[in-house]
Amino acid sequence: MHRIYRWRRPDHRRGLIRLSILIALCLSLVTDNAVATGLTAAGPGNRIAGIDISQWQHPGQSPIDFGAMYSSGVRFVIIKGGDSQDAADAMALKYLKIDRPAAQAAGLYTGMYYYAYLPDTNDPKAIVTDAKAQAQKAIWRLSSIGGYTPRDLPMALDIENNCVRASRGVCTKYTNRNNVTLWTQTWLDTVAAKTVRKPIVYSYAQFLEAAINRATTLTQYPLWVAAYAKVLPTATTQPATKPVGCFATAWTKADCSSQWQIWQYSSCGIGSKYGVPSDRVDLNLFAGSASQFYRLVRGVWTPSLNDLLPVNETSTLRVESQSAATTNDPVSFVVSVSRPDGTPVVTGSVDFKSISSLSPNGTQSVVRSATGRWTLNITNLPAGNYLGLVEYLDPTGTHSPSSTPVQFVVTQGPTPTPTPTPSPTKTPTKPVDVCANQVRN
């Protein structure tokens, strides 16, 4: 067999491509080292120091001096960026927009956390729906500030509260650990899939042990653990440990230490020391080296337009159930409001409005049982026939208002016999020193 050999010209393009790749790798290493060099380990135990803040660090709307914070040795600040409840969420957004660019301009790395309230339901489908809706809300928030920059830590989920029903500031119902686990896993997976970065989980060991199952699927997410120290941590101090035994959580290792990335070791930092106008501020430490911190920061996610928070998006209100009552009991409505794709709205609330100007609206209370789902109770209505609207209103402008007509009858109940209320005895109370068992640093 005769082989025919043909002369081939050198492919200069391949050489240029290889050279470009080599230059890019070199530049990447140079950039990595340059950025990591700025991460001074000035915290206790020669660890990288951080702080987390919210509106409470802005008393009287006073600004934070991030230049002073950087000069104190702090290298990262995690800012509250979202909340399940609308009023707190709006406040978080206000200061996130102020603090994040100011902190980055001062040379600090930044992060944001989302504070979660869980739905009042045992239906797994409803729990998943709620978690996805709240995850979407967090993604919208990240989109509204332009997505991740090279100086951003991944978003954190603050999951430390499994109360789903409260009255006058006292919790009257807690959800179970299966529900908390399902909700948490769904939120984390949804945000990770969209942002292509693993969110951080913030909580404390007692909650992780008592309220969340030891699911191995959770350990893929970095842990930010709150465990307040009585003395300054050293290089070998480990958070969230017991004198005997382990906190059994998804992040607990065989030696009873935890696989933590960030440790919130005190809530009693001296604000003025770090350029913070409040008396107290939370103090944090990073577990690893500068290069390990940079690996956690790496990766930039730029949101597409359809990830931005909607403006005046159409909503549909549905009354799932209603019950009329006597003058002694509430009229009750269970209301759900959905987006055009059938998922629940993520902001807003509901009320009742009488159509007749002669009919009162009564005293109304609203309990959010899940994202986009409320129980509306109306009391102090005189006996009579009522015609009105159950309305959904969203002051944030994310979703458009919607309503549906309702009618009900309130019958006259027996007149209750008034019970005399004894005058309360005033006992002097001593102020509680929340920093009595914490590091003041």
Side-chain angles (χ1 to χ4, degrees):
M1 182 181 290
H2 297 282
R3 300 179 184 270
I4 300 175
Y5 294 93
R6 294 178 180 173
W7 178 77
R8 299 177 66 182
R9 296 179 60 187
D11 190 343
H12 297 292
R13 290 174 297 178
R14 292 185 181 179
L16 289 172
I17 290 171
R18 292 192 189 99
L19 181 60
S20 299
I21 293 172
L22 181 60
I23 292 171
L25 287 171
C26 291
L27 287 173
S28 175
L29 289 172
V30 170
T31 303
D32 287 7
N33 291 333
V35 174
T37 302
L39 289 167
T40 312
N46 294 319
R47 297 188 186 275
I48 298 168
I51 276 177
D52 62 275
I53 58 174
S54 66
Q55 74 268 23
W56 303 114
Q57 277 62 59
H58 291 274
Q61 303 188 49
S62 302
I64 292 173
D65 185 346
F66 289 103
M69 187 180 291
Y70 185 92
S71 297
S72 73
V74 171
R75 288 298 176 265
F76 67 95
V77 56
I78 304 177
I79 306 160
K80 184 174 182 180
D83 194 286
S84 299
Q85 298 183 339
D86 289 351
D89 188 66
M91 187 64 71
L93 176 59
K94 173 184 175 179
Y95 286 110
L96 177 67
K97 287 182 173 179
I98 295 169
D99 290 340
R100 181 175 179 252
Q104 290 192 2
L108 293 159
Y109 287 86
T110 59
M112 63 172 273
Y113 70 90
Y114 180 91
Y115 190 94
Y117 288 91
L118 304 183
D120 183 5
T121 178
N122 290 317
D123 180 1
K125 289 184 179 178
I127 291 167
V128 168
T129 300
D130 181 89
K132 287 183 175 179
Q134 292 204 49
Q136 180 63 72
K137 185 177 180 180
I139 292 165
W140 281 334
R141 179 56 43 81
L142 186 58
S143 298
S144 73
I145 57 173
Y148 288 126
T149 75
R151 298 195 71 84
D152 276 316
L153 289 160
M155 188 189 308
L157 170 65
D158 185 335
I159 182 75
E160 56 176 295
N161 183 3
N162 62 339
C163 177
V164 294
R165 192 181 302 170
S167 175
R168 298 179 181 178
V170 177
C171 186
T172 58
K173 181 183 177 184
Y174 293 91
T175 193
N176 64 51
R177 60 189 303 136
N178 289 334
N179 293 343
V180 179
T181 307
L182 176 60
W183 191 98
T184 302
Q185 186 78 61
T186 302
W187 192 99
L188 293 168
D189 291 347
T190 304
V191 172
K194 189 61 186 180
T195 63
V196 201
R197 298 187 68 183
K198 299 290 186 186
I200 298 169
V201 178
Y202 170 87
S203 195
Y204 58 98
Q206 291 86 344
F207 183 85
L208 294 173
E209 180 180 60
I212 298 183
N213 294 329
R214 293 176 60 193
T216 55
T217 48
L218 290 173
T219 58
Q220 64 181 303
Y221 295 103
L223 176 64
W224 173 15
V225 65
Y228 299 145
K230 295 183 180 180
V231 295
L232 282 176
T234 67
T236 57
T237 309
Q238 289 294 323
T241 58
K242 293 179 178 180
V244 178
C246 297
F247 282 110
T249 79
W251 291 268
T252 303
K253 297 190 289 187
D255 63 356
C256 287
S257 65
S258 58
Q259 299 181 42
W260 61 279
Q261 292 297 306
I262 301 172
W263 174 11
Q264 187 186 76
Y265 71 92
S266 179
S267 68
C268 294
I270 302 165
S272 58
K273 182 177 176 180
Y274 304 99
V276 176
S278 62
D279 292 335
R280 295 167 50 202
V281 67
D282 295 338
L283 303 178
N284 298 272
L285 296 172
F286 180 71
S289 64
S291 59
Q292 288 171 321
F293 182 93
Y294 186 58
R295 282 200 292 273
L296 187 62
V297 171
R298 272 184 105 156
V300 177
W301 175 65
T302 304
S304 57
L305 291 178
N306 61 357
D307 289 321
L308 296 174
L309 194 68
V311 177
N312 205 33
E313 180 184 65
T314 302
S315 69
T316 303
L317 181 148
R318 185 167 70 92
V319 174
E320 296 184 0
S321 65
Q322 73 176 73
S323 59
T326 69
T327 52
N328 299 332
D329 301 305
V331 177
S332 184
F333 297 92
V334 176
V335 183
S336 63
V337 185
S338 58
R339 301 173 58 206
D341 62 0
T343 59
V345 295
V346 297
T347 49
S349 187
V350 296
D351 67 7
F352 168 74
K353 182 179 181 181
S354 175
I355 290 178
S356 169
S357 59
L358 300 177
S359 298
N361 294 322
T363 302
Q364 303 183 32
S365 65
V366 180
V367 176
R368 172 189 172 276
S369 57
T371 301
R373 194 169 187 269
W374 298 267
T375 299
L376 169 63
N377 291 313
I378 312 168
T379 55
N380 296 329
L381 289 173
N385 296 322
Y386 287 85
L387 181 63
L389 297 172
V390 172
E391 302 178 309
Y392 164 72
L393 301 171
D394 182 8
T396 70
T398 303
H399 309 290
S400 66
S402 55
S403 63
T404 191
V406 292
Q407 59 183 37
F408 55 90
V409 178
V410 175
T411 58
Q412 181 63 50
T415 304
T417 305
T419 307
T421 306
S423 301
T425 305
K426 292 186 178 179
T427 10
T429 55
K430 294 181 180 179
V432 178
D433 182 6
V434 295
C435 294
N437 294 312
Q438 289 190 49
V439 171
R440 291 178 170 95
N441 186 27

